[in-house]
């Protein structure tokens, strides 16, 4: 059994391979080639936090994955990051653990950003004039980094509840090629950007349908539990296409779930990213359309990235 | 974070502390002091196997546990044990993993045997004349080892589908103080033993109500999934007391679940082990009664044993 440290994992990770593996994973998932039960979770009150366990396998694959991820949002007060986690990879022939990936949540960040890249590449309008990043955490950073290959646009607005954090992100040494404007007004960001990525842990809608201009694509990655929500339900009503990573999971939690549970849209309006990858006509078909992609994070992404790392080590 | 090997875990484990912790755990569980969601599981077809993820915490505790256990029943053909697993202990204040216990399923075996000990101590008749062990695997061995402190009876019959395995167990160097008779006839075992422990992975009933004499206690530990069953439903009808580790879990899977799902007994007949520990009158009240204890294994046991090991290391 191989126990891999974050340092080893970072060295082993090939981003082009991950992007390919994540796309393949979404397609396999939507084609019914995976076994992925509902997410197992724990929530905590004092201090507030949550733990999500995602697990599953490819029917024709060699391994199964169990990923444990935590979010404790008061951690930064203690000088710790909010998110953490690890992945376990098991041999599907024997149940033996073949690797423990002590990635501290890094691989979850990367596979989420990779999904954001796939969504933007497939669904954003061709002519992106401004990118709006909502949130200033690790995921805001990684989404932007991964968008580099999806668009030539380098104009970005970043919004955070704390403008200082938005300023800090705008000056990140690794994001120098982007022209980043920290912004206090979320309405301005939403109404001036035609590619918007929301990455917050908000528990109530912060982006509303009225803000959005025609031809905009929104990817929402923040809401990964029943009590979290970034997008108002009417955005899903207004959208010409609602794409999700997993229809069954997005009916249970995430942004689209609120629109479905309130009856604002039908479950049938949801299209899976894996299906759009195979048939792009299920996604954006004109520059004027509004498209939304709700990413709640599925175990196939965890399996694919864990296998990417493990296969490059062994 | 401490990564503990099986060797270190075995050295650190204090059985008296584990027994106390398991009893405390059952009581806390039955008194609503825990958060333990339903078990998460995966099943596999080729080769057949399953993976169970048990997770949860004590509301007033310091840690939460995630335990991953696998059972791949064709492993022995490859020279590997059927069961395997590991436990992860996390800080409930931050979500940080504080320890990975690479116990290879050993701690699951021990906490299950400890529950068997608790059940026998509480529910078996005072005068045990013969112990019947059904099954010849690791759990058969551990149940017997742990019964040492629960009874003075040293007469044992062991039944296995393969009599050679029963003979092998009977000659185990660590069980010399027991007078063990390997037996081919399960009816004989069941009708001559007034303490019976079933430890098989059977998928259909192998012990029937007609076999059982008055005053018998049966502990069933083998059925840990919906498709597994060792005890015929009529045993639950005939039993004066039906004790379970978890009412909610035993309604979903395990031996008692079959009796409930078929309507042979009502859910209300179930009494939790933690409640019997606090009030023994909920258990056996006469030597003539038939009692059954269905143990499906709950995350509080995993949490308690993982904490026992971790606290003795740190």
């Amino acid at each position: 059994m191989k126990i891999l440290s974050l340092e080893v994992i970072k060295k082993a990770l090939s981003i082009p391979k991950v992007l390919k593996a994540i796309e393949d994973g979404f397609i396999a998932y939507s084609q019914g080639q995976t076994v992925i039960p509902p997410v197992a979770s724990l929530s905590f009150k004092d201090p507030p936090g949550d733990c999500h366990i995602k697990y599953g396998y490819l029917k024709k694959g060699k391994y199964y994955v169990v990923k444990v991820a935590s979010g404790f949002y008061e951690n930064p007060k203690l000088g710790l990051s909010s998110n953490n986690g690890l992945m376990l990879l098991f041999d599907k022939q024997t149940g033996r653990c073949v690797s423990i990936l002590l990635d501290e949540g890094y691989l979850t960040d990367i596979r989420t950003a990779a999904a954001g890249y796939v969504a933007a590449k497939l669904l954003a309008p061709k002519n992106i004039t401004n990118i709006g990043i909502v949130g200033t955490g690790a995921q805001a950073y990684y989404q932007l980094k991964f968008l580099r290959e999806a668009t030539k646009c380098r104009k970005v607005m970043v919004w955070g509840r704390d403008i200082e954090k938005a300023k800090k992100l705008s000056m990140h040494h690794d994001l120098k090629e982007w022209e980043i404007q920290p912004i206090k007004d979320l309405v301005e960001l939403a109404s001036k950007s035609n590619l918007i990525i929301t990455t917050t842990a908000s528990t109530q809608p912060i982006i509303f349908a009225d803000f959005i201009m025609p031809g905009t694509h929104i990817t929402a990655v923040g809401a990964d539990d029943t009590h979290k929500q970034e997008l108002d339900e009417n955005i899903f009503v207004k959208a010409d296409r609602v794409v999700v990573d997993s229809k069954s999971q997005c009916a249970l939690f995430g942004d689209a779930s609120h629109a479905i549970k309130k009856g604002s849209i039908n479950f049938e309006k949801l299209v899976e990213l894996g299906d759009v990858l195979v048939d792009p006509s299920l996604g954006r078909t004109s520059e004027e359309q509004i498209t939304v992609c709700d990413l709640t994070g599925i175990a196939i992404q965890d399996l694919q990235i864990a296998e990417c790392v493990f296969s490059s080590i062994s």
Side-chain angles (χ1 to χ4, degrees), chain A:
Chain A
M1 192 192 56
K2 293 203 164 92
I3 299 176
L4 308 180
S5 69
L6 177 57
E7 196 185 348
V8 168
I9 289 167
K10 282 187 172 176
K11 274 187 194 155
L13 204 69
S14 153
I15 298 301
K17 280 187 189 166
V18 167
L19 295 178
K20 173 77 168 62
I22 293 295
E23 288 193 354
D24 290 347
F26 281 127
I27 292 170
Y29 179 80
S30 294
Q31 294 187 345
Q33 295 165 14
T34 63
V35 174
I36 297 184
V39 178
S41 66
L42 289 169
S43 65
F44 305 91
K45 279 183 188 158
D46 184 27
D50 49 54
C51 165
H52 296 142
I53 307 169
K54 296 185 178 179
Y55 53 106
Y57 60 88
L58 267 165
K59 288 174 190 170
K60 291 192 176 166
K62 284 174 71 177
Y63 305 106
Y64 61 93
V65 76
V66 177
K67 192 270 291 275
V68 184
S70 62
F72 280 73
Y73 301 102
E74 292 182 5
N75 272 357
K77 290 181 194 166
L78 307 170
L80 299 170
S81 68
S82 301
N83 296 313
N84 208 309
L86 52 81
M87 296 188 183
L88 308 169
L89 204 59
F90 295 87
D91 182 335
K92 202 159 77 64
Q93 295 290 308
T94 64
R96 249 63 191 166
C97 185
V98 297
S99 188
I100 299 179
L101 294 86
L102 299 171
D103 66 287
E104 300 172 25
Y106 172 74
L107 292 176
T108 299
D109 279 340
I110 296 300
R111 63 80 151 147
T112 306
Y117 157 84
V118 174
K121 195 184 69 166
L122 273 179
L123 297 165
K126 276 180 199 141
N127 181 26
I128 300 173
T129 51
N130 195 75
I131 299 165
I133 301 284
V134 180
T136 57
Q139 194 50 222
Y141 164 77
Y142 285 115
Q143 286 289 339
L144 206 45
K145 260 198 89 136
F146 275 68
L147 279 183
R148 192 179 177 281
E149 305 299 321
T151 175
K152 284 177 184 162
C153 173
R154 293 292 176 263
K155 285 187 71 182
V156 181
M157 288 175 181
V158 173
W159 175 90
R161 272 178 228 281
D162 180 350
I163 186 74
E164 293 308 317
K165 287 187 183 165
K167 284 180 188 166
K168 199 174 162 193
L169 182 63
S170 75
M171 292 182 293
H172 196 292
H173 65 89
D174 221 16
L175 298 172
K176 278 183 184 156
E177 67 178 298
W178 302 87
E179 187 187 314
I180 305 176
Q181 179 189 355
I183 197 162
K184 279 185 175 178
D185 184 355
L186 198 46
V187 180
E188 190 184 348
L189 175 147
S191 57
K192 289 190 176 164
S193 306
N194 61 347
L195 171 59
I196 299 171
I197 323 274
T198 64
T199 68
T200 73
S202 183
T203 54
Q204 45 191 332
I206 50 176
I207 307 273
F208 294 84
D210 293 349
F211 302 175
I212 306 302
M213 60 175 166
T216 298
H217 171 72
I218 308 174
T219 298
V221 303
D224 61 354
D225 210 332
T226 50
H227 61 284
K228 295 184 190 168
Q229 184 174 8
E230 301 185 278
L231 307 183
D232 182 63
E233 293 97 56
N234 283 325
I235 289 178
F236 292 92
V237 178
K238 194 172 180 180
D240 297 283
R241 290 283 187 276
V242 176
V243 180
V244 296
D245 48 9
S246 158
K247 289 195 278 189
S248 60
Q249 191 166 297
C250 287
L252 294 175
F253 62 85
D255 278 294
S257 72
H258 300 283
I260 292 169
K261 286 173 187 169
K262 288 194 179 167
S264 310
I265 61 165
N266 291 326
F267 179 77
E268 288 67 33
K269 190 168 181 176
L270 306 185
V271 179
E272 280 185 359
L273 200 51
D275 290 324
V276 182
L277 277 162
V278 172
D279 177 2
S281 76
L282 296 170
R284 174 179 296 275
T285 52
S286 87
E287 283 289 285
E288 291 304 298
Q289 285 176 327
I290 291 175
T291 53
V292 180
C293 185
D294 185 13
L295 299 173
T296 52
I298 43 179
I300 188 64
Q301 295 167 262
D302 300 313
L303 177 66
Q304 293 292 86
I305 200 167
E307 275 206 49
C308 272
V309 172
F310 183 65
S311 66
S312 71
I313 297 283
S314 15

